[in-house]
Amino acid sequence: MEVKVVRYVRIRVMTKATLPSTASINPRRVVLGITGGIAAYKSAELTRALKRSGIDVQVVMTDAAMKFITATTLQALSGKRVFTDLWDESIPNGMAHIELSRNADAILIAPASADFIAKLANGLCNDLLSTLCIARNANACPLVLAPAMNREMWENPATQRNVARLIADGVIILGPDSGDQACGETGMGRMLEPEALLTAVETFFAAQNTPKNLAGVTALVTAGPTFEAIDPVRGITNSSSGKMGYAIAESLRDAGAAVTLITGPTSLVIPVGIKAIQVKSASEMLSAVMHKIDEVKLFFAVAAVADYTPIAPHPQKMKKSAQGLTIKLKPTVDILATVASLPTPPFCVGFAAESENVVEYARKKRESKRIPVIVSNLATEAIGANDNQVTLIDDSGEHPIPKASKAKIAAQIVSHVATLYLKRQSPNTTESNIKPIKAPRIHNA
Ligand SMILES: Cc1cc2nc3c(=O)[nH]c(=O)nc-3n(C[C@H](O)[C@H](O)[C@H](O)COP(=O)(O)O)c2cc1C
């Protein structure tokens, strides 16, 4: 089985339109640290992007960074003096390393060189930027790194050890991405693009405003399509983009849950702070889910899992034939039903995508699978789209959620489910603000 665990967090690229802007209501301050890597040229664009979104940017550069891009450029773009020297005497108390982080909402190091990552992992502080990072109040000022380096440098065991240590210390790592590198090689190590870094920073700030009512709760989410092989190069799949499942995973994370995402093949990037397991087929997804299910309290089955799979995939690429092609299919195992029928199942939320009679089919699906919550949506409009319009069905009835971005729909679903889940744990919890339109009592899961 090909189940690949993504070791380092990467970010999901979202359009600005899908994100709540924090800029105008609450201007944020970011210290942008630039270290010595080729990608330092992208920091100029990043500075502009952060400024455009209303974020106040204070640039701090290492000596090596100034070999790649001048402080003058960054000063012009940020509109502020750039700090580079630990021994700067212009700050009244002479302690730039303390003063610069005291008002900051985050320190973002982009690019973060292998050298700088090694320094931070070992607590070294022999220049302004590293001293600033160590002297910050870690509770008030998170440290976010966007590594950028040659792929051999990234894969070097020392770099990997250092990154793992920083993650354990609570440092957020964005990327890196894979692709063409300045050195002419191809592989992992490219810095995320400025727009993606901006999105990650905005998402991070927006998430800080979400109530953490699921703090400490473990959640498992499936997302995306599955791919059922017919032969080594062909298969049966569907047009699910994974956007709804990824949005649910992000909303759960924002509510404080520890989230594992089991994802079929999608073009989306794994969101920050979410552990992902990548699978291909329905049977791989089932195995990955069953491997994790005992550890979780909430299970969201959002993936569009294939209902059928070829009985005997051909070992070689099949040749085109004038006789046509007949493929014998067998039903796949129903993952949600399997989980829901466990002796002590987690709190299960199913998704039903139908092309007609959506709510009626969803209600029946909820009954037959004996799950507490199901979310129905119109497959023809929801699959692959950025927006969705759903009806949540639970014991108290049907709760329509009007058309909105999948991020907003996900936030409402998670808020409602959190209320139901917490109420089960402690019956005094108050109701969520999604109002039922009918109240047909069906059964308890
Ligand atoms: C042309 C050139 C390109 C470099 N590019 C990178 C890079 O992309 N990533 C990296 O980690 N180091 C890179 N280095 C090495 C760093 O600049 C070097 O390790 C330096 O000491 C980093 O200093 P700093 O971490 O204080 O900024 C490069 C060096 C040179 C000469």
Side-chain angles (χ1 to χ4, degrees):
M1 189 182 75
E2 284 175 38
V3 177
K4 190 171 126 204
V5 177
V6 177
R7 280 184 302 166
Y8 297 109
V9 288
R10 300 174 65 199
I11 76 148
R12 175 183 175 201
V13 179
M14 296 164 75
T15 62
K16 286 195 72 179
T18 63
L19 289 165
S21 171
T22 52
S24 50
I25 28 167
N26 186 11
R28 301 290 189 154
R29 286 176 292 261
V30 168
V31 169
L32 174 61
I34 306 177
T35 69
I38 295 281
Y41 78 92
K42 292 187 186 174
S43 307
E45 194 51 54
L46 177 59
T47 304
R48 293 189 69 200
L50 291 166
K51 289 273 293 174
R52 257 200 317 268
S53 112
I55 294 171
D56 181 81
V57 184
Q58 172 61 65
V59 176
V60 177
M61 299 173 78
T62 64
D63 286 348
M66 288 187 289
K67 301 269 185 202
F68 294 89
I69 184 168
T70 67
T72 311
T73 302
L74 277 310
Q75 178 175 333
L77 295 174
S78 67
K80 281 190 168 179
R81 192 187 143 197
V82 171
F83 287 87
T84 58
D85 184 7
L86 181 60
W87 310 106
D88 196 318
E89 289 172 1
S90 64
I91 290 203
N93 66 4
M95 289 193 265
H97 65 286
I98 306 286
E99 295 306 311
L100 292 175
S101 73
R102 284 302 174 261
N103 288 324
D105 294 300
I107 299 178
L108 169 64
I109 312 287
S113 67
D115 170 72
F116 199 77
I117 287 171
K119 261 189 191 172
L120 290 179
N122 289 286
L124 300 180
C125 42
N126 61 354
D127 63 10
L128 177 60
L129 188 56
S130 54
T131 311
L132 190 61
C133 292
I134 284 186
R136 82 191 194 285
N137 174 349
N139 293 324
C141 180
L143 178 57
V144 184
L145 305 186
M149 64 198 73
N150 159 274
R151 72 182 171 86
E152 298 287 4
M153 292 172 86
W154 173 251
E155 283 162 17
N156 187 291
T159 306
Q160 292 297 308
R161 263 197 316 274
N162 292 332
V163 171
R165 188 182 279 190
L166 288 173
I167 290 172
D169 287 346
V171 173
I172 298 165
I173 310 287
L174 302 178
D177 213 342
S178 95
D180 293 341
Q181 302 203 310
C183 52
E185 296 178 9
T186 303
M188 206 67 171
R190 276 171 65 90
M191 187 172 90
L192 293 180
E193 293 303 322
E195 202 59 29
L197 290 173
L198 169 66
T199 300
V201 169
E202 286 183 322
T203 306
F204 178 78
F205 285 147
Q208 284 183 326
N209 298 329
T210 306
K212 302 286 176 263
N213 51 359
L214 289 178
V217 176
T218 44
L220 185 62
V221 181
T222 65
T226 61
F227 181 92
E228 311 302 316
I230 297 170
D231 70 17
V233 291
R234 304 187 184 93
I236 301 170
T237 186
N238 59 65
S239 48
S240 166
S241 63
K243 288 175 190 167
M244 195 68 234
Y246 279 53
I248 291 282
E250 287 184 278
S251 291
L252 286 164
R253 174 207 58 198
D254 294 348
V259 187
T260 302
L261 175 68
I262 296 178
T263 172
T266 76
S267 60
L268 304 175
V269 182
I270 305 303
V272 167
I274 288 173
K275 188 175 164 201
I277 299 170
Q278 292 175 329
V279 297
K280 229 172 164 184
S281 65
S283 74
E284 286 177 9
M285 188 169 275
L286 173 71
S287 303
V289 166
M290 297 318 285
H291 186 69
K292 276 263 151 208
I293 205 71
D294 287 346
E295 300 168 23
V296 300
K297 300 285 185 213
L298 292 172
F299 177 55
F300 283 75
V302 195
V305 184
D307 290 328
Y308 297 94
T309 191
I311 287 178
H314 207 274
Q316 303 302 332
K317 179 172 178 275
M318 288 180 291
K319 294 281 168 231
K320 189 172 179 181
S321 152
Q323 270 73 56
L325 175 65
T326 303
I327 303 167
K328 280 203 164 174
L329 304 174
K330 62 179 179 187
T332 55
V333 176
D334 186 323
I335 298 176
L336 178 56
T338 306
V339 170
S341 61
L342 289 170
T344 49
F347 190 98
C348 288
V349 181
F351 274 68
E354 303 287 349
S355 57
E356 55 176 352
N357 304 327
V358 281
V359 174
E360 189 192 326
Y361 285 145
R363 211 183 301 122
K364 286 185 179 151
K365 188 170 168 182
R366 186 178 99 94
E367 280 180 60
S368 69
K369 294 191 203 277
R370 302 183 60 80
I371 54 175
V373 178
I374 199 156
V375 179
S376 77
N377 49 188
L378 189 58
T380 42
E381 288 188 5
I383 288 188
N386 289 328
D387 292 346
N388 205 356
Q389 180 177 352
V390 305
T391 300
L392 187 150
I393 305 169
D394 62 15
D395 274 358
S396 69
E398 293 164 16
H399 314 268
I401 303 179
K403 188 168 182 173
S405 70
K406 285 184 174 170
K408 286 193 176 142
I409 297 275
Q412 292 184 72
I413 293 170
V414 166
S415 157
H416 189 88
V417 168
T419 307
L420 295 179
Y421 169 74
L422 294 170
K423 198 171 177 189
R424 252 192 201 188
Q425 311 303 307
S426 147
N428 294 330
T429 310
T430 54
E431 291 291 345
S432 106
N433 54 5
I434 303 178
K435 300 280 179 280
I437 54 170
K438 311 185 208 167
R441 181 139 194 109
I442 301 175
H443 60 78
N444 287 323

